[in-house]
Amino acid sequence: MARLSLIVTIIAVALACVFAEKELYSDRYDDINIQEILANEKLRMQYYNCFLGIAPCRTADAKFFAGVIGEAIRTQCSKCTEKQKNLFDILVDWYTKNKPEEWETFVKKTIENIQNKNV
């Protein structure tokens, strides 16, 4: 009987590990209007410069996304909510079509930051 109890416990722990929900980024800022930000050059540049680390992040959502965007890129958004994945797709699509040089600069900066963290 003790043996059966041990087997059930092991199976329960294994199932808990398999079905454990992975840690996601906070969804607090999932409802930002990315289209509005991208359409407004002044606002877009505030976010862009924040993400590059060359200007302060002026809003709580900018600070949040600046803190996770490098990891999100590196992990292909594995901790992103579905809305964050959609926001990221919109962001990448807009920059690659409209400001490819800025996108390239951002990607290079992100890669540098990742490499510096691994050193």
Side-chain angles (χ1 to χ4, degrees):
M1 191 66 166
R3 190 173 187 182
L4 180 60
S5 177
L6 177 62
I7 292 171
V8 169
T9 301
I10 291 171
I11 291 172
V13 169
L15 286 173
C17 290
V18 169
F19 292 110
E21 193 171 320
K22 67 180 176 181
E23 179 186 341
L24 298 176
Y25 299 128
S26 170
D27 63 355
R28 183 173 185 177
Y29 302 108
D30 281 8
D31 292 324
I32 64 166
N33 187 336
I34 189 83
Q35 297 294 353
E36 181 181 318
I37 294 168
L38 293 171
N40 181 320
E41 185 176 357
K42 182 178 178 182
L43 188 56
R44 185 181 68 246
M45 290 308 295
Q46 286 176 359
Y47 278 82
Y48 182 77
N49 291 332
C50 161
F51 291 170
L52 285 179
I54 58 177
C57 298
R58 297 182 180 204
T59 62
D61 63 312
K63 289 177 189 174
F64 169 76
F65 285 113
V68 301
I69 198 161
E71 179 183 46
I73 289 173
R74 185 177 40 111
T75 64
Q76 297 178 333
C77 234
S78 68
K79 293 183 181 180
C80 295
T81 65
E82 287 305 312
K83 283 188 177 182
Q84 289 165 356
K85 288 177 185 178
N86 186 46
L87 291 171
F88 188 67
D89 287 345
I90 292 168
L91 180 79
V92 172
D93 185 60
W94 190 92
Y95 268 98
T96 56
K97 288 180 180 174
N98 298 288
K99 298 284 185 179
E101 311 83 22
E102 288 180 11
W103 181 248
E104 186 177 322
T105 299
F106 176 74
V107 170
K108 285 180 183 177
K109 177 71 172 171
T110 302
I111 291 169
E112 286 175 18
N113 290 343
I114 292 168
Q115 289 173 341
N116 290 337
K117 285 182 181 181
N118 291 334
V119 172

PDB file of all heavy atoms in Angstrom, residues 16-32:
ATOM      1  N   ALA A  16       1.950  17.567 -12.265  1.00  0.00           N
ATOM      2  CA  ALA A  16       1.969  18.975 -11.853  1.00  0.00           C
ATOM      3  C   ALA A  16       3.060  19.729 -12.598  1.00  0.00           C
ATOM      4  O   ALA A  16       2.860  20.870 -13.022  1.00  0.00           O
ATOM      5  CB  ALA A  16       2.162  19.087 -10.345  1.00  0.00           C
ATOM      6  N   CYS A  17       4.206  19.111 -12.767  1.00  0.00           N
ATOM      7  CA  CYS A  17       5.305  19.746 -13.500  1.00  0.00           C
ATOM      8  C   CYS A  17       4.955  19.924 -14.970  1.00  0.00           C
ATOM      9  O   CYS A  17       5.250  20.956 -15.574  1.00  0.00           O
ATOM     10  CB  CYS A  17       6.588  18.922 -13.367  1.00  0.00           C
ATOM     11  SG  CYS A  17       7.293  18.968 -11.716  1.00  0.00           S
ATOM     12  N   VAL A  18       4.340  18.937 -15.547  1.00  0.00           N
ATOM     13  CA  VAL A  18       3.989  18.994 -16.957  1.00  0.00           C
ATOM     14  C   VAL A  18       2.932  20.063 -17.216  1.00  0.00           C
ATOM     15  O   VAL A  18       3.019  20.813 -18.180  1.00  0.00           O
ATOM     16  CB  VAL A  18       3.487  17.619 -17.457  1.00  0.00           C
ATOM     17  CG1 VAL A  18       2.860  17.724 -18.833  1.00  0.00           C
ATOM     18  CG2 VAL A  18       4.621  16.610 -17.452  1.00  0.00           C
ATOM     19  N   PHE A  19       1.957  20.130 -16.335  1.00  0.00           N
ATOM     20  CA  PHE A  19       0.845  21.046 -16.558  1.00  0.00           C
ATOM     21  C   PHE A  19       1.006  22.396 -15.856  1.00  0.00           C
ATOM     22  O   PHE A  19       0.120  23.237 -15.945  1.00  0.00           O
ATOM     23  CB  PHE A  19      -0.476  20.402 -16.128  1.00  0.00           C
ATOM     24  CG  PHE A  19      -0.864  19.258 -17.011  1.00  0.00           C
ATOM     25  CD1 PHE A  19      -0.831  17.959 -16.543  1.00  0.00           C
ATOM     26  CD2 PHE A  19      -1.237  19.476 -18.325  1.00  0.00           C
ATOM     27  CE1 PHE A  19      -1.187  16.903 -17.362  1.00  0.00           C
ATOM     28  CE2 PHE A  19      -1.594  18.425 -19.150  1.00  0.00           C
ATOM     29  CZ  PHE A  19      -1.568  17.136 -18.666  1.00  0.00           C
ATOM     30  N   ALA A  20       2.127  22.577 -15.192  1.00  0.00           N
ATOM     31  CA  ALA A  20       2.347  23.858 -14.516  1.00  0.00           C
ATOM     32  C   ALA A  20       2.356  24.980 -15.547  1.00  0.00           C
ATOM     33  O   ALA A  20       2.970  24.869 -16.606  1.00  0.00           O
ATOM     34  CB  ALA A  20       3.663  23.835 -13.756  1.00  0.00           C
ATOM     35  N   GLU A  21       1.661  26.020 -15.221  1.00  0.00           N
ATOM     36  CA  GLU A  21       1.593  27.153 -16.144  1.00  0.00           C
ATOM     37  C   GLU A  21       2.934  27.871 -16.114  1.00  0.00           C
ATOM     38  O   GLU A  21       3.463  28.178 -15.061  1.00  0.00           O
ATOM     39  CB  GLU A  21       0.482  28.099 -15.704  1.00  0.00           C
ATOM     40  CG  GLU A  21       0.137  29.120 -16.736  1.00  0.00           C
ATOM     41  CD  GLU A  21      -1.109  29.894 -16.358  1.00  0.00           C
ATOM     42  OE1 GLU A  21      -2.049  29.278 -15.850  1.00  0.00           O
ATOM     43  OE2 GLU A  21      -1.093  31.105 -16.576  1.00  0.00           O
ATOM     44  N   LYS A  22       3.467  28.146 -17.301  1.00  0.00           N
ATOM     45  CA  LYS A  22       4.747  28.833 -17.353  1.00  0.00           C
ATOM     46  C   LYS A  22       4.565  30.282 -16.919  1.00  0.00           C
ATOM     47  O   LYS A  22       3.490  30.864 -17.077  1.00  0.00           O
ATOM     48  CB  LYS A  22       5.366  28.746 -18.740  1.00  0.00           C
ATOM     49  CG  LYS A  22       4.620  29.502 -19.804  1.00  0.00           C
ATOM     50  CD  LYS A  22       5.316  29.355 -21.135  1.00  0.00           C
ATOM     51  CE  LYS A  22       4.495  30.051 -22.197  1.00  0.00           C
ATOM     52  NZ  LYS A  22       5.073  29.949 -23.483  1.00  0.00           N
ATOM     53  N   GLU A  23       5.611  30.835 -16.377  1.00  0.00           N
ATOM     54  CA  GLU A  23       5.586  32.216 -15.912  1.00  0.00           C
ATOM     55  C   GLU A  23       5.522  33.152 -17.111  1.00  0.00           C
ATOM     56  O   GLU A  23       6.336  33.076 -18.021  1.00  0.00           O
ATOM     57  CB  GLU A  23       6.846  32.507 -15.103  1.00  0.00           C
ATOM     58  CG  GLU A  23       6.927  33.910 -14.597  1.00  0.00           C
ATOM     59  CD  GLU A  23       8.253  34.198 -13.922  1.00  0.00           C
ATOM     60  OE1 GLU A  23       8.964  33.267 -13.531  1.00  0.00           O
ATOM     61  OE2 GLU A  23       8.585  35.382 -13.805  1.00  0.00           O
ATOM     62  N   LEU A  24       4.539  34.020 -17.114  1.00  0.00           N
ATOM     63  CA  LEU A  24       4.382  34.995 -18.186  1.00  0.00           C
ATOM     64  C   LEU A  24       4.689  36.386 -17.649  1.00  0.00           C
ATOM     65  O   LEU A  24       4.619  36.633 -16.452  1.00  0.00           O
ATOM     66  CB  LEU A  24       2.954  34.975 -18.739  1.00  0.00           C
ATOM     67  CG  LEU A  24       2.467  33.678 -19.370  1.00  0.00           C
ATOM     68  CD1 LEU A  24       1.010  33.809 -19.781  1.00  0.00           C
ATOM     69  CD2 LEU A  24       3.326  33.300 -20.564  1.00  0.00           C
ATOM     70  N   TYR A  25       5.011  37.303 -18.563  1.00  0.00           N
ATOM     71  CA  TYR A  25       5.156  38.694 -18.178  1.00  0.00           C
ATOM     72  C   TYR A  25       3.804  39.209 -17.698  1.00  0.00           C
ATOM     73  O   TYR A  25       2.748  38.719 -18.120  1.00  0.00           O
ATOM     74  CB  TYR A  25       5.630  39.549 -19.361  1.00  0.00           C
ATOM     75  CG  TYR A  25       6.962  39.161 -19.941  1.00  0.00           C
ATOM     76  CD1 TYR A  25       7.102  38.935 -21.299  1.00  0.00           C
ATOM     77  CD2 TYR A  25       8.089  39.021 -19.136  1.00  0.00           C
ATOM     78  CE1 TYR A  25       8.320  38.592 -21.854  1.00  0.00           C
ATOM     79  CE2 TYR A  25       9.317  38.668 -19.682  1.00  0.00           C
ATOM     80  CZ  TYR A  25       9.427  38.450 -21.035  1.00  0.00           C
ATOM     81  OH  TYR A  25      10.635  38.108 -21.578  1.00  0.00           O
ATOM     82  N   SER A  26       3.832  40.207 -16.859  1.00  0.00           N
ATOM     83  CA  SER A  26       2.599  40.834 -16.392  1.00  0.00           C
ATOM     84  C   SER A  26       1.770  41.324 -17.579  1.00  0.00           C
ATOM     85  O   SER A  26       2.311  41.828 -18.561  1.00  0.00           O
ATOM     86  CB  SER A  26       2.934  42.026 -15.491  1.00  0.00           C
ATOM     87  OG  SER A  26       1.769  42.776 -15.209  1.00  0.00           O
ATOM     88  N   ASP A  27       0.473  41.182 -17.458  1.00  0.00           N
ATOM     89  CA  ASP A  27      -0.411  41.653 -18.529  1.00  0.00           C
ATOM     90  C   ASP A  27      -0.946  43.060 -18.250  1.00  0.00           C
ATOM     91  O   ASP A  27      -1.844  43.545 -18.921  1.00  0.00           O
ATOM     92  CB  ASP A  27      -1.564  40.680 -18.750  1.00  0.00           C
ATOM     93  CG  ASP A  27      -2.466  40.552 -17.528  1.00  0.00           C
ATOM     94  OD1 ASP A  27      -2.165  41.136 -16.459  1.00  0.00           O
ATOM     95  OD2 ASP A  27      -3.493  39.839 -17.625  1.00  0.00           O
ATOM     96  N   ARG A  28      -0.356  43.721 -17.284  1.00  0.00           N
ATOM     97  CA  ARG A  28      -0.828  45.034 -16.846  1.00  0.00           C
ATOM     98  C   ARG A  28      -0.912  46.055 -17.989  1.00  0.00           C
ATOM     99  O   ARG A  28      -1.797  46.896 -18.017  1.00  0.00           O
ATOM    100  CB  ARG A  28       0.088  45.558 -15.745  1.00  0.00           C
ATOM    101  CG  ARG A  28      -0.351  46.868 -15.179  1.00  0.00           C
ATOM    102  CD  ARG A  28       0.477  47.261 -14.002  1.00  0.00           C
ATOM    103  NE  ARG A  28      -0.064  48.475 -13.417  1.00  0.00           N
ATOM    104  CZ  ARG A  28       0.401  49.023 -12.346  1.00  0.00           C
ATOM    105  NH1 ARG A  28       1.403  48.466 -11.697  1.00  0.00           N
ATOM    106  NH2 ARG A  28      -0.125  50.126 -11.873  1.00  0.00           N
ATOM    107  N   TYR A  29       0.025  45.989 -18.920  1.00  0.00           N
ATOM    108  CA  TYR A  29       0.074  46.984 -20.000  1.00  0.00           C
ATOM    109  C   TYR A  29      -0.304  46.401 -21.365  1.00  0.00           C
ATOM    110  O   TYR A  29       0.021  46.964 -22.398  1.00  0.00           O
ATOM    111  CB  TYR A  29       1.469  47.613 -20.064  1.00  0.00           C
ATOM    112  CG  TYR A  29       1.859  48.254 -18.753  1.00  0.00           C
ATOM    113  CD1 TYR A  29       2.824  47.686 -17.939  1.00  0.00           C
ATOM    114  CD2 TYR A  29       1.237  49.418 -18.319  1.00  0.00           C
ATOM    115  CE1 TYR A  29       3.171  48.260 -16.729  1.00  0.00           C
ATOM    116  CE2 TYR A  29       1.568  50.003 -17.106  1.00  0.00           C
ATOM    117  CZ  TYR A  29       2.537  49.414 -16.311  1.00  0.00           C
ATOM    118  OH  TYR A  29       2.869  49.995 -15.113  1.00  0.00           O
ATOM    119  N   ASP A  30      -1.017  45.308 -21.370  1.00  0.00           N
ATOM    120  CA  ASP A  30      -1.384  44.653 -22.626  1.00  0.00           C
ATOM    121  C   ASP A  30      -2.354  45.475 -23.483  1.00  0.00           C
ATOM    122  O   ASP A  30      -2.470  45.225 -24.672  1.00  0.00           O
ATOM    123  CB  ASP A  30      -2.011  43.279 -22.360  1.00  0.00           C
ATOM    124  CG  ASP A  30      -0.974  42.214 -22.067  1.00  0.00           C
ATOM    125  OD1 ASP A  30       0.214  42.548 -21.913  1.00  0.00           O
ATOM    126  OD2 ASP A  30      -1.362  41.033 -21.984  1.00  0.00           O
ATOM    127  N   ASP A  31      -3.028  46.432 -22.878  1.00  0.00           N
ATOM    128  CA  ASP A  31      -4.039  47.179 -23.625  1.00  0.00           C
ATOM    129  C   ASP A  31      -3.547  48.528 -24.133  1.00  0.00           C
ATOM    130  O   ASP A  31      -4.356  49.407 -24.435  1.00  0.00           O
ATOM    131  CB  ASP A  31      -5.298  47.360 -22.768  1.00  0.00           C
ATOM    132  CG  ASP A  31      -6.005  46.035 -22.529  1.00  0.00           C
ATOM    133  OD1 ASP A  31      -6.020  45.194 -23.444  1.00  0.00           O
ATOM    134  OD2 ASP A  31      -6.525  45.834 -21.420  1.00  0.00           O
ATOM    135  N   ILE A  32      -2.221  48.687 -24.259  1.00  0.00           N
ATOM    136  CA  ILE A  32      -1.728  49.947 -24.822  1.00  0.00           C
ATOM    137  C   ILE A  32      -2.134  50.021 -26.288  1.00  0.00           C
ATOM    138  O   ILE A  32      -2.326  48.997 -26.943  1.00  0.00           O
ATOM    139  CB  ILE A  32      -0.192  50.099 -24.681  1.00  0.00           C
ATOM    140  CG1 ILE A  32       0.555  49.040 -25.480  1.00  0.00           C
ATOM    141  CG2 ILE A  32       0.235  50.115 -23.231  1.00  0.00           C
ATOM    142  CD1 ILE A  32       2.022  49.347 -25.654  1.00  0.00           C
TER     143      ILE A  32
END
